[in-house]
Amino acid sequence: MEELVVLVNPEDEVLGLMEKQQAHINGLLHRAFSVFLFNENGEMLLQKRAANKYHSPQQWTNAVCSHPRIEETYLEGAKRRLKEELGIDARLSEKFHFIYKADVGGGLWEHELDHVFSGTYNSDFHLNTDEVEEVRYISPEDLDKEISEHPEQFTEWFKIILEEYKHHF
């Protein structure tokens, strides 16, 4: 099944639909969401993207990043992808939204109106191995150190969204 993204203007008004990879080739602004999950110790959940992903394979990123479907709210899309990728359900709250553009290599761009959610989760995962290779929790201090020492191991959008997240908290 062809996956479509919702193209929007900066005011989040719908301009149309486009196949996801084509939108990434063209660098067109589209709807997206990002989920940050934390455990009871305040550590952030990271997922390592599966090796078969068409961009940014085997790089670490936040719990979930994806795109809502045309008939979904941002929150509905975020909850759907938590279930599809990590096999979990978690209570989420929206923290902020912003627009960013990132070169993800291979002639592909993420240009997204990104709604950022956070929540807590302290139970087991049921990973979809087509999407996620592994998950781990990490302290904010250790995460900053790893990104500083090995930025190539993290997705470009995660580094941008993480900095934006820090500005809001």
Side-chain angles (χ1 to χ4, degrees), residues 15-44:
L15 302 176
L17 299 174
M18 182 175 279
E19 192 278 321
K20 180 175 74 171
Q21 192 164 355
Q22 192 61 47
H24 289 153
I25 291 168
N26 294 338
L28 297 177
L29 183 63
H30 56 276
R31 288 181 175 168
F33 53 80
S34 298
V35 177
F36 285 77
L37 288 180
F38 299 88
N39 65 15
E40 59 198 6
N41 299 322
E43 296 169 316
M44 182 185 292

Side-chain angles (χ1 to χ4, degrees), residues 129-148:
T129 56
D130 289 334
E131 298 285 340
V132 181
E133 192 167 298
E134 63 181 287
V135 294
R136 66 183 168 121
Y137 283 104
I138 188 169
S139 72
E141 299 80 21
D142 287 345
L143 177 58
D144 286 344
K145 184 175 186 225
E146 280 191 32
I147 290 174
S148 170

